[in-house]
Amino acid sequence: MGKNLKKFVNPKFVRTIDPELVARLFERHRHVMPGFDLDALQGNAQVARERLEAFFMRGNEHCPEGLIADLHRIAELGNANGLRLLLNQAARLKVAITPERDPDGREQRQDPKHVALRAFLDHPAVFDAASDMLALTARCSLTEFAGLAEGFEADLGDGPMSAFEAAAAKMFEVDHCGCYCRVGWYEDADTVNLVLTHGSIVRTTPILQGQEERVISYRAAENAVLSYSAASGRIKIGGGTPLRRSALAEIFASRILERPGFFAGPDASNLYTLAPIERVGCGFAFNHAFDPAIRRVRIVEAQADQLSLDQVTSQTRISSTSVARDGDGGALDRLADAMRSRSFGPDWRLRHIVIRVNIDAGIGRPGQITAKITPPASAIFARHRFEERIMTLLQRNGFLHERYTDCAAIAAE
């Protein structure tokens, strides 16, 4: 199968993990592990670890696909960042995950993978929430839609939430991804965040079992993420195909906002523009004086298309493309050399830029965010840090299309 078991379960893990915890994990898959003696993981810890190491080193073909999926989920949270997510979600859910001690009351130094395994077995709600937050922060490529207006609050009552989950499950089933769908709901100020755990298309793979060849089928779990801000009227969706993302936006609009078609307006995907650079030319520079935390903004890549008129069809076509890169921020100067002009005029159209923003995080070295802006609908960057600052930077410099809505009329409704 596509997931490599040895990559995640290494000898260091086997030497430090509690074999009895692993036995509880294996117990979940006892019915598909007929050749493994779970009783061997009880009693002598050294013997148990030798059995575990031998089992894991045999590779994927001897390990049930369900167990591999469990181990991957645990490994994803089995690091410092995962531990922080687990503790944050435990605090939110008012669940205590206390450090373990030996019988004499002394500290036991447990690896984050050990804590993740304990949470997976003993606190599944905490583990699922932390896994959801990991999926939410890991997405940097999102599809965005602007609603017809700003100020509409999401209705997170049991009825609308259940209706959304049922409709999403039906959509995944139609896409041949099974009918399973679990939705985690997380509010952050005026933003509603959703993480949808769902199935994927069925995969089939040959495996070896002893001296026999077998073919097994399995359905891997996948995640889609959705964030809606009532203040801006925007929704961001990651995961799945573009068609599925627009379908999820419509399900959210109809079930949670009770406004079908809210994200299907004529300018729903007309969000970003590079017009400020095209107006000024290659001498453009970002203004970030309004935010003292932003130390520097560099344009490190720019792509422009040269346009011409097709004499046969009378349509505008792209006759050439120039891409300029400069890590020190001189991409527009290099682009000017390629265009032989510092202005764009009617013959050149800027297709995308990549900016690198240095931000003072207050502790240690300044953080650095790289963002790619491609009109009309794409801004790709790691959004788990400084998203609000980056979006404000783009808005203050004219890279976001302004949306004018009648907020008074909305309030009156």
Side-chain angles (χ1 to χ4, degrees), residues 372-384:
K372 181 178 181 179
I373 316 301
T374 307
S378 177
I380 300 175
F381 59 95
R383 295 180 181 248
H384 63 283

Side-chain angles (χ1 to χ4, degrees), residues 136 139 142 164 184-186 191-196 224-229 234-238 245 248-253 256 263:
L136 191 65
R139 298 285 183 184
L142 302 172
F164 175 89
W185 303 78
Y186 308 95
T191 301
V192 176
N193 299 308
L194 286 71
V195 180
L196 295 82
V225 300
L226 184 156
S227 295
Y228 170 69
S229 169
R234 289 194 180 197
I235 195 169
K236 297 175 291 189
I237 301 176
R245 294 181 187 186
L248 277 175
E250 176 57 25
I251 292 173
F252 186 89
I256 304 300
F263 299 110

